[in-house]
Amino acid sequence: VPTRPIACLQLAGLCLLLFGASPAPSPAPKPFTPPSLVLISLDTTRSDHLHCYGYPLPTSPALDRLASEGILFENAITQAVNTGPSHATIFTGLLPMGHGVRFNGVPLSVEFETLATLLAKAGYRNGAFVSGYTLIASQCGLQRGFEVYDDQIKEDRRAGETVDRALAWLKSLSSEKPYFLFLHLFDPHGKYDPPAGFAEKFRTGKYDPIPSADLIPEYQRLELPGGGISRDPLDYISRYDGEIAYADSQIARLLAQVGEKTVVIFTSDHGETLVESDYYFSHGARHSEEAHRVPLIIRAPGLSLKGKRIGGLATLADVLPTALTLLEQPLPRRLAGRSLIPFAQIGAVSPGSAAISEGRAASMNLDGRRLSFPPRGLIFSAHGDRYKLIDYPTSGGSFYQLFDLVDDRGEKHPTYGAEAARKSPVYQALDLYRVSGRTPEPPELDEEAKKKLRSLGYVN
């Protein structure tokens, strides 16, 4: 008869044979840490002056690399051709009619959630570093949700200083929490004045002289050494390209710091009309393709679409939902924009949508017609896959231009009149947008604000 200890051992062995050994407890899974986000806005940058968008000159080597590592949207359209309203759309995913910022100098209302407030609630460390007067907190209202909103500027500051401050903030962060960095660089905005050596490399090409120096905005005019104002477009365009190239060199510094595991979104608030019409070296009061088309490049870890170019219409209202999707954050309800990631995966944004844009109205001569507008006037446009309709609500009623952008990419041969406008496939979208809101109130500006905005070409 076995003794009691031996019997107990035999019983234990039998249990192991029948039921197996109890598994060791598995280690607790590590909590999910969402990636960090860097959102870069390069002010006044038309997409067709970046090399990765087909520009023949090497203005954007850092952005070219970013595009080769991520995805590039070929037809991104801004919702506003002024800085404040456009950035309000980027940060809210709403059209200007929805968020209420229709002019520079109107701060976004505190009633709206922004990309920064949403990510702050999700545990992100948020820092913003801006370079232009129109994005200081008192002018734009975008500072909510940021623990650092660096806007200590008079009118503007160069990209190098802004990037220095952003890099210092990044180095101060711990790795325990994700961060959201918003970087706004102002350099391509007029007056075009890049650092020495940046404009000279882009002095190629030949242009007809500008008919009169009076057509050049006062804040943009370049004085000649012997007196007078330069009317050579190359003097201005080479400087504009130089500003882009300089900003690109500073973006390279930032991208080297943030690494490949960070989501990076690069875009612009609007473009710039150079010599395509009699609206020289400016933006804000015209709806040309040069003002509407902006770059949109996205690089994200795990997004296996390196170097892909995505066709179809994208908009700046799509930036917020796209960013939140990449960060695996829930989307707010009632957004005007949509996440672009599903479209990127199939190679193109689905046709059939219309991109709505608006901008301030200023008296103008248009194809031999003098257009005047009531106070608080705005110009509206709807951009479809092929057609673009512009509505000029003049003091005498709406004046329409319709363009076929397939047969007339340069917008040289518009069709005029309300009848043609109403037959266009984008008229309904524009009409619904116009009748869905009230006439906007302009900002009440003090004399100092007026002076600074006038120096940037924003006060008529």
Side-chain angles (χ1 to χ4, degrees), residues 30 47 201 255 270 378 421:
K30 292 183 179 180
S47 58
K201 64 182 71 175
L255 295 179
H270 51 72
L378 289 167

Side-chain angles (χ1 to χ4, degrees), residues 69 356 453:
E69 297 164 354
I356 301 296
L453 288 173

Side-chain angles (χ1 to χ4, degrees), residues 146-197:
F146 288 103
E147 56 187 74
V148 173
Y149 194 88
D150 187 320
D151 63 349
Q152 304 305 305
I153 52 180
K154 292 183 178 179
E155 292 179 10
D156 63 273
R157 64 182 173 197
R158 287 201 189 276
E161 182 181 349
T162 304
V163 170
D164 284 345
R165 291 169 177 259
L167 289 174
W169 179 74
L170 285 174
K171 291 175 182 177
S172 73
L173 300 178
S174 69
S175 59
E176 297 175 357
K177 287 186 175 182
Y179 64 82
F180 167 38
L181 168 63
F182 171 54
L183 180 74
H184 167 253
L185 304 180
F186 196 66
D187 302 79
H189 191 290
K191 187 175 186 177
Y192 314 142
D193 185 27

Side-chain angles (χ1 to χ4, degrees), residues 297-310:
I297 302 170
I298 299 173
R299 188 190 72 190
L303 194 60
S304 57
L305 299 168
K306 290 186 177 181
K308 296 296 184 182
R309 304 176 71 90
I310 312 301

